Amino acid sequence: MSTSPAGPPPPADGLLSAARRNLRELAQGLSHASHPSTPLLAEAPKRWQRLLPYVVVLALTATFIPVTINVLTSQYGVPGALAGALGVAQSAPLLMLAHRPLQAWWIIFPADIVGALVLLAHPDERHDVWPWIPPVLVAYLFLLLALGLRETRRTVVGVWLATGAVGLVLHLIAPADRNTGSALLLPILGAVVLVIGGAVRERSEATRRLAEQETISEAERAQRTLLEERTRIARELHDVVAHHMSVITVQADSAPYRISGLSEPAQEEFASIAAAARESLGEMRRLLSVLRSDGTEGDRSPQPGLSRLQQLVEATVRAGLPAELALAAELGEVPSAVDLSAYRIVQEALANVVRHAPGARTRVLVAPDNGHLLVLVVNGPAATRASPLETSGTGHGLVGMRERVRLTGGTLDTGPLPDGGFRVAARMPLPPAASPVVSPSVPPPSEDL
């Protein structure tokens, strides 16, 4: 039996290499801050909140410098100049806690070690605490809290291990009569403080990410709403354009039979027009199949227009909304896109009144206005204090109105009224030959509803 040659086994990641890798990561965390030098609470909404970290670090520094110097001179017998230098080195970097806590640790921690070694040269009293005197220990806990609030878990673990290791070494080199209780107390209290700071930091980070995700979701929702409305409008306008293209096709195909004496080039031109129209209809059908959602069928009913506004308002009145319609008698020729858009705008506006202001008096005006078609829907406040059917809309209605008006080249103005009502005003251009130059004869609805 032949055996295929096997390659060399992959190198195993032993304990020694894993330890070296972890030590490198800890060293990287201790030597590089995980955040830019922005102050704590820099993004707070109120000014006093942004200034609060500076007030705290100023108070800490102003408190610990004189307290540390006083304890070193009076309790431990350190000379005044040396005590002053140690007090400043151990407490002045607390000013950096608001924006650079890791850099402050690199100054305070060596200064604390030097201070512990200096105290070895002075006589020990029974009540003295070593290596970390009380003000140094408390100031170091504030430093650890700032680190927990700003740095990553790897960095704070490295700081805690370095603190415990130095405390252990100082305990081993201390004389037997030295009270080294603070060497064990600091790592215990430090662990508690770091856990609290890390928990607060992670919760704040989770809250910030959630807010960012909500902002992204809101933007995506608005974009999706816009795309859905554009798709819906495109599906509706398909029937309008398809009708005109079908008429062109029929007229081009029947021209040689309706018009006698056409030359051969003219007949070929009509045939080319009919072929191009049929090809355009095919392309539109393929486009519509892409715009439709999966599993939906196209609406086979005729598209509504201004001729059905009276039926729409009557149905709204039967639903319990007191609405009135003022429709100009002579509108002239209205383009199909404007005709459909005007109907949909009124439909959406009335639906919004029913949802958000049930029972409100509503006036609808549709009339020509200086070469444009004016569509105005004004409603008053809700008739009763009952809760609206919807307290927060999806935004589809106004988005749809805005897209329809933009499609026709018109303008849309919407907004609340001083009395608590709402106003929707759309102006869409009409063909020059069909649009009268006078203002509408129907007076606009009063806004004092």
Side-chain angles (χ1 to χ4, degrees), residues 245-442:
M245 297 300 296
S246 300
V247 172
I248 293 174
T249 304
V250 172
Q251 289 179 339
D253 282 333
S254 62
Y257 305 99
R258 293 183 290 104
I259 304 174
S260 59
L262 287 178
S263 62
E264 187 69 22
Q267 294 182 12
E268 293 179 356
E269 186 67 23
F270 278 115
S272 175
I273 293 173
R278 280 191 291 269
E279 183 179 358
S280 299
L281 280 174
E283 293 292 338
M284 289 184 60
R285 292 190 184 97
R286 283 190 288 271
L287 175 62
L288 186 63
S289 65
V290 175
L291 293 178
R292 282 201 182 102
S293 302
D294 295 337
T296 60
E297 295 292 337
D299 187 4
R300 300 181 184 276
S301 61
Q303 293 294 345
L306 295 176
S307 61
R308 294 177 56 181
L309 276 183
Q310 185 66 37
Q311 301 176 13
L312 175 64
V313 174
E314 291 176 355
T316 305
V317 172
R318 288 195 299 270
L321 183 71
E324 301 177 8
L325 172 64
L327 180 62
E330 297 295 334
L331 289 177
E333 180 184 355
V334 179
S336 301
V338 175
D339 190 41
L340 174 61
S341 297
Y343 178 88
R344 292 301 189 194
I345 289 172
V346 175
Q347 184 183 41
E348 292 287 353
L350 293 177
N352 285 339
V353 177
V354 172
R355 285 194 293 265
H356 302 290
R361 293 183 55 193
T362 306
R363 296 286 302 275
V364 179
L365 168 67
V366 179
D369 181 20
N370 294 329
H372 292 77
L373 180 67
L374 174 64
V375 179
L376 182 64
V377 182
V378 180
N379 67 272
T384 63
R385 295 187 178 183
S387 300
L389 299 181
E390 293 184 13
T391 57
S392 61
T394 60
H396 285 258
L398 294 180
V399 172
M401 296 180 197
R402 191 173 295 108
E403 286 300 306
R404 290 181 185 279
V405 172
R406 190 179 66 85
L407 177 68
T408 61
T411 58
L412 178 69
D413 180 24
T414 62
L417 297 176
D419 62 351
F422 200 83
R423 176 176 181 267
V424 175
R427 296 181 77 251
M428 294 172 284
L430 295 173
S435 58
V437 295
V438 297
S439 299
S441 58
V442 182

